Amino acid sequence: MSQSIGAAKISIIIPAINEAVNIKEAIATTQPSTSIEVIVVDGGSNDSTVEIAQSLNVKVISSSSGRAVQMNAGAVAASGEILLFLHADTHLPTGFDEMIRTALQQPGIVAGAFKLRIDASLLSLRWVEWGVNVRSHFYQMPYGDQAIFLTKEVFQKIGSFPELPIMEDFELMRRLKRIGRVVIIPTPVVTSARRWLQKGVLKTTLLNQIVIIAYLLGVSPERICSWYRREKLKRL
């Protein structure tokens, strides 16, 4: 497979629900690039997300809501040998396509993601970035907002995203680490600060850590998700 990766087609899968504000810019950062396709997987938007995406000549499909479900639907529709999962509020760096192909040609690499930058100037967010990037580099545990990529062959081998209501990216990484190494590209993607700004940086960071600990202790993803959403609503 490594011999053909250098010319492999990349399918960029963007799960979206009510992302009319962000979807155009996210898609714009996929250009210019070579041998790619963009698939927006809409989970039931009631704004103009679908119309905007369709106007940009990318493939738009519908699925049930839920990020894992949407990403898996996008993977089924993808024609590329490489899958790149991009959040609708995250922007790719210039040259991402060649960076990904180069990364996946390294021996023992089964997947990868990018370093993270958050698009707000708060000093506290620099600490969040530092923590994310240290975790990603040393523990090979990037999360979804870092634009995870892997070959379609590996994705199918590990059984796709587990269709959990939360922690699907965490569980995917655990599965990937059992079969090889996860590389972090040092050029960052830029993600929206909205979830940190809505609830506050410290509260969001603490909540995320509690969610991870609860998951590792065996609390069901459904229970964690219902609690997480209640906390989210309280802060809005």
Side-chain angles (χ1 to χ4, degrees):
M1 185 74 182
S2 61
Q3 283 77 19
S4 61
I5 287 289
K9 183 178 183 179
I10 301 174
S11 295
I12 302 166
I13 297 160
I14 308 177
I17 299 181
N18 296 330
E19 291 285 3
V21 173
N22 295 305
I23 196 70
K24 185 175 181 178
E25 283 192 38
I27 292 171
T29 66
T30 69
Q31 308 293 332
S33 47
T34 57
S35 190
I36 67 150
E37 69 174 346
V38 178
I39 304 170
V40 174
V41 187
D42 186 71
S45 296
N46 52 26
D47 65 2
S48 55
T49 298
V50 169
E51 290 77 11
I52 292 169
Q54 287 172 336
S55 75
L56 297 169
N57 295 318
V58 301
K59 187 184 288 187
V60 181
I61 64 173
S62 297
S63 83
S64 302
S65 63
R67 188 172 272 155
V69 175
Q70 290 170 248
M71 291 189 291
N72 286 342
V76 170
S79 62
E81 297 93 338
I82 297 171
L83 306 177
L84 168 60
F85 297 97
L86 180 67
H87 287 187
D89 62 354
T90 299
H91 297 166
L92 292 165
T94 303
F96 73 90
D97 48 337
E98 290 310 314
M99 293 178 205
I100 288 172
R101 293 187 186 100
T102 300
L104 288 176
Q105 288 180 85
Q106 296 176 47
I109 297 297
V110 294
F114 292 80
K115 191 174 174 182
L116 185 72
R117 194 161 81 235
I118 303 167
D119 71 347
S121 58
L122 290 174
L123 180 60
S124 53
L125 288 173
R126 303 293 78 79
W127 283 103
V128 171
E129 290 171 349
W130 179 82
V132 166
N133 292 324
V134 166
R135 180 201 70 221
S136 302
H137 182 75
F138 288 104
Y139 296 102
Q140 299 175 57
M141 286 294 288
Y143 296 164
D145 51 11
Q146 291 171 256
I148 294 165
F149 58 85
L150 70 173
T151 65
K152 193 169 191 178
E153 182 182 350
V154 167
F155 187 69
Q156 291 168 340
K157 180 179 179 181
I158 61 166
S160 308
F161 275 100
E163 295 196 348
L164 306 172
I166 198 167
M167 302 295 286
E168 76 288 333
D169 47 0
F170 185 90
E171 185 56 39
L172 184 84
M173 284 301 140
R174 291 174 83 190
R175 294 179 184 181
L176 286 165
K177 283 172 64 180
R178 292 181 195 129
I179 63 168
R181 285 199 309 123
V182 178
V183 68
I184 305 300
I185 292 175
T187 305
V189 291
V190 181
T191 197
S192 169
R194 59 182 176 176
R195 63 192 174 97
W196 286 280
L197 299 180
Q198 280 171 352
K199 299 192 293 287
V201 176
L202 180 60
K203 287 171 184 169
T204 302
T205 303
L206 285 173
L207 182 58
N208 289 343
Q209 295 310 308
I210 290 166
V211 164
I212 292 166
I213 292 165
Y215 183 76
L216 291 173
L217 289 174
V219 179
S220 78
E222 290 74 19
R223 187 172 173 191
I224 294 171
C225 191
S226 67
W227 176 76
Y228 184 83
R229 283 180 179 150
R230 277 202 306 273
E231 283 297 307
K232 199 171 176 181
L233 288 170
K234 276 198 281 183
R235 306 293 178 194
L236 290 177

